[in-house]
Amino acid sequence: MVLTHLPRFRFSIFTRPPSPLHTHFDLNLLPRLKLPTVVRPKYTLSTTEPVPISHISSNNQEILDSPQIQISLDRLFVPPETEVSLNDASLSTRILKGSNIVLSKYARNAQIVQAEFVKSSVRTEDCPADGLPEFALVGRSNVGKSSLLNSLVRRKRLALTSKKPGKTQCINHFRINDSWYLVDLPGYGYAAAPQELRTDWDKFTKDYFLNHSSLVSVFLLIDASIPAKKIDLEYASWLGQNQIPMTLIFTKCDKRKKKKNGGKRPEENVKDFQELINGFFETAPPWIMTSSVTNQGRDEILLHMAQLRNYWLKH
């Protein structure tokens, strides 16, 4: 079977028109929202047969013993020009660990060998205009965005981390391998920041998403160590409504909550978040579980970026 996607991996269909960056809705209503009937292509593999996704190898026995996430075929992210068939015995090995993403022929030249800070901007028109593909990292303040960026490039201080949320206040461009960009965006939801400053951050971030032609995909970071936050669901909703290509990056997956204390494990929070947003999407957004402490998900993110980037460059 071949699943086709629109250029730039626009996979979301919503029942409501585009709205301001932060919409407000009752989370209890999310599962009840219905999409128009969509005629899906016929699959050659049962959509009810779950595909087991194993966790990244780790010395932590508790992580190794944790339950696997089961994913049905219709919740996989299958890149363009990629075939998935019933007779493909290697399907489970083609799915990136800790994700729902199938590897494609475009997953090449993934490693980072060079990274340098280029500039900070507060307006989209001030961003680099050389046409190189860009991947934007955004998330709630203190979600671990700078730590993830440093983990990706294997440099401790490429992006400065801080115990005080809200330190990133500009659009920061880092040129990778002299051929593409990682973009660090201001965190949202930092209550201690002045309202005027928060409004400015939202404004120029929104403008960047909507008007920067070199943006390949937004990587929306979600803290998997805690239950789903309304503001994260709203952000994912806004990106989908405006047809902004998006990958969900679940951070802090090394933090193991104890059941006896009422806390949920990261994989449980990941599943809960997906169930809350499923009603908004025709097809499942790609997602990856990560940890900047153990480097879980690092290689998977780079492979996913590589296949998105190489497809984008070709088309």
Side-chain angles (χ1 to χ4, degrees):
M1 137 190 99
V2 179
L3 296 183
T4 59
H5 290 253
L6 294 174
R8 294 187 68 199
F9 298 87
R10 294 175 177 174
F11 47 79
S12 57
I13 294 181
F14 287 77
T15 59
R16 295 182 293 176
S19 58
L21 182 57
H22 291 305
T23 57
H24 298 279
F25 50 83
D26 186 349
L27 296 186
N28 295 323
L29 297 179
L30 282 174
R32 304 190 188 100
L33 293 175
K34 300 295 183 181
L35 288 170
T37 302
V38 178
V39 178
R40 297 180 181 271
K42 293 184 178 179
Y43 298 112
T44 56
L45 182 64
S46 170
T47 61
T48 59
E49 181 179 355
V51 179
I53 307 299
S54 58
H55 290 289
I56 294 291
S57 298
S58 170
N59 293 326
N60 189 323
Q61 191 61 41
E62 185 178 8
I63 294 178
L64 290 173
D65 292 340
S66 62
Q68 295 182 345
I69 296 179
Q70 300 272 312
I71 306 176
S72 58
L73 179 66
D74 62 342
R75 305 314 298 171
L76 289 176
F77 175 75
V78 183
E81 302 177 20
T82 302
E83 296 185 0
V84 177
S85 69
L86 180 63
N87 298 322
D88 185 0
S90 65
L91 176 60
S92 62
T93 64
R94 293 170 55 201
I95 301 172
L96 291 174
K97 292 181 180 179
S99 84
N100 70 333
I101 300 168
V102 178
L103 274 177
S104 75
K105 63 182 180 181
Y106 292 101
R108 58 182 185 272
N109 301 323
Q111 290 303 316
I112 292 179
V113 296
Q114 180 184 9
E116 61 176 334
F117 172 74
V118 176
K119 67 179 302 187
S120 295
S121 311
V122 294
R123 300 185 306 170
T124 302
E125 52 266 37
D126 295 331
C127 294
D130 51 17
L132 295 179
E134 302 183 10
F135 295 91
L137 305 181
V138 69
R140 190 168 47 83
S141 293
N142 207 31
V143 74
K145 183 162 47 66
S146 295
S147 296
L148 177 65
L149 196 156
N150 290 333
S151 173
L152 291 176
V153 301
R154 293 192 186 279
R155 285 170 59 179
K156 292 184 178 180
R157 294 182 63 84
L158 181 70
L160 295 180
T161 60
S162 173
K163 293 183 179 179
K164 181 179 180 181
K167 291 294 288 185
T168 302
Q169 300 179 10
C170 301
I171 303 174
N172 298 311
H173 276 76
F174 301 88
R175 188 161 50 231
I176 308 299
N177 298 346
D178 218 27
S179 60
W180 57 282
Y181 289 104
L182 278 173
V183 185
D184 187 13
L185 295 172
Y188 56 83
Y190 179 43
Q195 177 61 43
E196 182 179 349
L197 185 57
R198 296 203 305 269
T199 301
D200 287 343
W201 292 348
D202 286 348
K203 184 178 183 299
F204 72 68
T205 299
K206 173 184 175 182
D207 185 67
Y208 169 79
F209 289 152
L210 294 174
N211 299 311
H212 199 59
S213 60
S214 297
L215 178 63
V216 177
S217 182
V218 173
F219 280 53
L220 177 60
L221 276 59
I222 307 294
D223 187 344
S225 69
I226 59 177
K229 293 285 187 180
K230 179 180 179 181
I231 193 171
D232 292 329
L233 294 162
E234 290 174 345
Y235 216 98
S237 169
W238 183 88
L239 289 170
Q241 288 174 352
N242 288 276
Q243 295 288 287
I244 310 296
M246 174 186 69
T247 296
L248 297 173
I249 302 297
F250 293 99
T251 66
K252 305 182 182 182
C253 290
D254 57 288
K255 294 189 176 182
R256 319 303 298 176
K257 299 291 185 180
K258 297 297 183 181
K259 280 280 190 178
K260 62 182 181 181
N261 295 331
K264 288 189 174 183
R265 297 178 182 273
E267 60 271 11
E268 294 175 302
N269 288 325
V270 168
K271 182 179 179 181
D272 289 347
F273 191 92
Q274 292 172 28
E275 288 178 350
L276 285 170
I277 67 170
N278 276 351
F280 286 97
F281 293 90
E282 178 194 11
T283 57
W287 56 265
I288 303 173
M289 297 178 66
T290 73
S291 166
S292 297
V293 175
T294 65
N295 284 324
Q296 174 184 350
R298 176 188 181 273
D299 292 343
E300 286 70 24
I301 289 177
L302 294 179
L303 283 166
H304 180 51
M305 286 182 171
Q307 63 183 12
L308 295 181
R309 182 174 67 249
N310 291 322
Y311 178 85
W312 185 88
L313 288 169
K314 179 179 178 181
H315 296 84

